[in-house]
């Protein structure tokens, strides 16, 4: 019996489902923290910077890596077209539903190309690499991951090309998982799975049995990953909303919230001294222009976003000039 036959019958590799379940639970924990910030229980923008940003990227990478592994397991010997297109249609429809729902809920940051969109596209593109040597796939994967460092161009700033991921600046979205660099994670999964398959690792993994108390719920989640993804966030945000009706979060000082968020974002790429001065400049500027309330609510017009971009450039230049050697500190 071939590996694919084992998996398609009763001998699924439980460990793969368990790992997928763990990734989904980690994703839910991240979304729950985002929900707390949305309702004011944590600092606004907490999950967009620092350790939380790294956590989110690790979750997305692991999930997409497993997509690549699953492509090899399901279609490595021959592509099962009927099952493939059924699964693709389910993911594509779900991705479209997410876009529509978030467009009405948060139009300024709706999800136009999130992780489900990436999975749908990567599932099709990944088929092109199933017959290529594993090492070649991994080399191309490295180029895809690094592409934003050497291929970014204003050419990709057109809204119709933002899904590519090579625009001069990332667009605003609650979940942005473009082709580059994220397809690289899927390709790494394909390459690693092909190496593991050649080494007979999957046959050994199929014999591993974990504690049923630990394995059963994770396996269930992993085998129903799409349903879990679609359901968990409405459930979580609904629970936080209900909690907020009885115990609303204390009103946050907008100036303090803006400064904390600004400094957390700034320190992703700058030192603390620069960020303190830069964020002071930004706070003064957005207050003067009457933009502070809209920024803190996440509700900004196109003209407000353009003005904010101008202020960011101005404060960056002013801060760099003020902190240049020979200038008073």
């Amino acid at each position: 019996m071939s590996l694919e036959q084992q998996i398609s019958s009763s001998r699924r590799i439980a460990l793969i489902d368990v790992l997928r379940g763990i990734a989904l639970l980690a994703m839910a924990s991240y979304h729950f923290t985002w929900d707390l910030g949305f309702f004011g229980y944590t600092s606004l923008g907490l999950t967009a910077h620092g350790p939380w940003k790294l956590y989110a990227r690790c979750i997305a990478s692991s999930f997409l890596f497993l997509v690549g592994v699953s492509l090899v397991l399901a279609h490595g010997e021959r592509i099962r077209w009927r099952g493939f297109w059924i699964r693709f249609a389910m993911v594509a429809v779900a991705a479209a539903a997410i876009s529509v729902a978030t467009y009405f809920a948060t139009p300024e940051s709706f999800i136009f190309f999130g992780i489900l969109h990436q999975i749908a596209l990567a599932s099709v593109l990944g088929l092109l690499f199933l017959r290529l040597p594993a090492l070649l796939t991994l080399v191309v994967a490295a180029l895809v991951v690094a592409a934003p460092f050497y291929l970014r161009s204003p050419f990709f700033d057109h809204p119709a090309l933002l899904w590519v991921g090579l625009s001069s600046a990332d667009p605003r979205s609650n979940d942005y998982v473009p082709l580059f660099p994220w397809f690289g994670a899927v390709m790494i999964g394909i390459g690693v799975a092909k190496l593991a398959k050649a080494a007979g690792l999957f046959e050994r993994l199929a014999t591993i049995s974990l504690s049923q108390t630990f394995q059963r719920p994770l396996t269930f989640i992993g085998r129903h990953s799409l349903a879990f993804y679609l359901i968990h966030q409405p459930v979580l945000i609904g629970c936080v909303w209900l909690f907020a009706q009885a115990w609303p979060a204390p009103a946050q000082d907008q100036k303090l919230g803006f400064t904390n968020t600004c400094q957390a974002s700034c320190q992703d790429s700058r030192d603390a001294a620069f960020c303190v001065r830069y964020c002071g400049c930004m706070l003064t500027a957005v207050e003067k222009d009457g933009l502070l309330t809209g920024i803190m609510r996440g509700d900004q017009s196109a003209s407000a976003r353009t003005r904010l971009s101008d202020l960011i450039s101005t404060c960056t230049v002013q801060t760099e000039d003020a902190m240049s050697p020979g200038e008073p500190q």
Side-chain angles (χ1 to χ4, degrees):
M1 179 181 289
S2 70
L3 178 61
E4 273 75 7
Q5 288 173 324
Q6 291 177 10
I7 295 168
S8 63
S9 59
S10 61
R11 295 193 63 198
R12 286 180 63 105
I13 300 178
L15 184 60
I16 302 296
D17 290 323
V18 168
L19 292 175
R20 189 179 294 111
I22 292 173
L24 285 163
L25 289 178
M27 183 181 294
S29 72
Y30 175 83
H31 287 160
F32 179 67
T33 306
W34 186 93
D35 296 340
L36 292 177
F38 183 78
F39 283 94
Y41 291 100
T42 64
S43 300
L44 186 67
L46 172 67
T47 56
H49 312 289
W52 279 103
K53 183 176 182 179
L54 177 61
Y55 182 51
R57 289 181 173 179
C58 289
I59 293 168
S61 297
S62 63
F63 200 72
L64 293 171
F65 173 86
L66 292 172
V67 169
V69 172
S70 297
L71 273 176
V72 173
L73 291 175
H75 308 289
E77 291 189 0
R78 63 180 179 86
I79 300 176
R80 305 166 188 276
W81 288 110
R82 183 174 182 275
F84 173 84
W85 288 120
I86 290 175
R87 179 68 177 175
F88 171 82
M90 292 171 60
V91 175
V93 169
I98 291 290
S99 292
V100 171
T102 56
Y103 179 79
F104 287 102
T106 55
E108 297 296 330
S109 57
F110 82 103
I111 300 173
F112 64 90
F113 205 87
I115 195 163
L116 290 185
H117 304 73
Q118 173 66 247
I119 290 173
L121 178 59
S123 296
V124 176
L125 296 180
L127 297 180
L128 302 175
F129 295 89
L130 291 181
R131 300 294 179 267
L132 295 182
L135 293 180
L136 176 59
T137 299
L138 292 174
V139 169
V140 177
L143 295 175
V144 171
V145 171
F149 293 101
Y150 63 88
L151 287 180
R152 282 191 182 273
S153 168
F155 173 79
F156 295 101
D157 289 349
H158 191 282
L161 296 176
L162 292 177
W163 61 273
V164 177
L166 297 176
S167 55
S168 55
D170 288 344
R172 187 177 179 188
S173 176
N174 287 329
D175 184 27
Y176 182 52
V177 190
L179 179 64
F180 295 96
W182 292 101
F183 180 52
V186 178
M187 294 181 66
I188 292 172
I190 293 173
V192 170
K194 288 171 74 69
L195 292 175
K197 182 178 178 180
L201 181 59
F202 286 132
E203 285 83 351
R204 293 195 291 274
L205 291 178
T207 65
I208 294 178
S209 179
L210 305 175
S211 166
Q212 288 302 306
T213 302
F214 172 79
Q215 176 178 313
R216 187 175 291 113
L218 292 174
T219 301
F220 179 82
I221 294 171
R223 292 183 179 181
H224 300 85
S225 56
L226 181 59
F228 181 91
Y229 181 86
L230 293 174
I231 293 171
H232 83 277
Q233 178 65 326
V235 170
L236 290 175
I237 204 167
C239 290
V240 178
W241 180 84
L242 287 174
F243 183 85
Q245 306 314 299
W247 295 279
Q252 294 187 357
D253 182 273
Q254 286 189 336
K255 295 182 182 180
L256 179 61
F258 176 87
T259 300
N260 290 340
T261 301
C262 175
Q263 291 185 6
S265 174
C266 176
Q267 290 180 28
D268 284 343
S269 57
R270 297 278 193 162
D271 60 62
F274 176 92
C275 292
V276 169
R277 186 183 289 267
Y278 164 78
C279 290
C281 173
M282 284 298 298
L283 177 60
T284 301
V286 298
E287 278 192 295
K288 181 179 178 180
D289 282 23
L291 300 176
L292 181 60
T293 299
I295 292 172
M296 298 308 293
R297 289 178 178 174
D299 181 17
Q300 297 172 263
S301 64
S303 60
R305 291 198 301 272
T306 300
R307 178 57 182 158
L308 181 61
S309 179
D310 292 339
L311 294 177
I312 289 172
S313 299
T314 300
C315 283
T316 298
V317 171
Q318 290 180 359
T319 305
E320 288 175 342
D321 289 345
M323 299 190 70
S324 62
E327 294 292 334
Q329 300 294 310

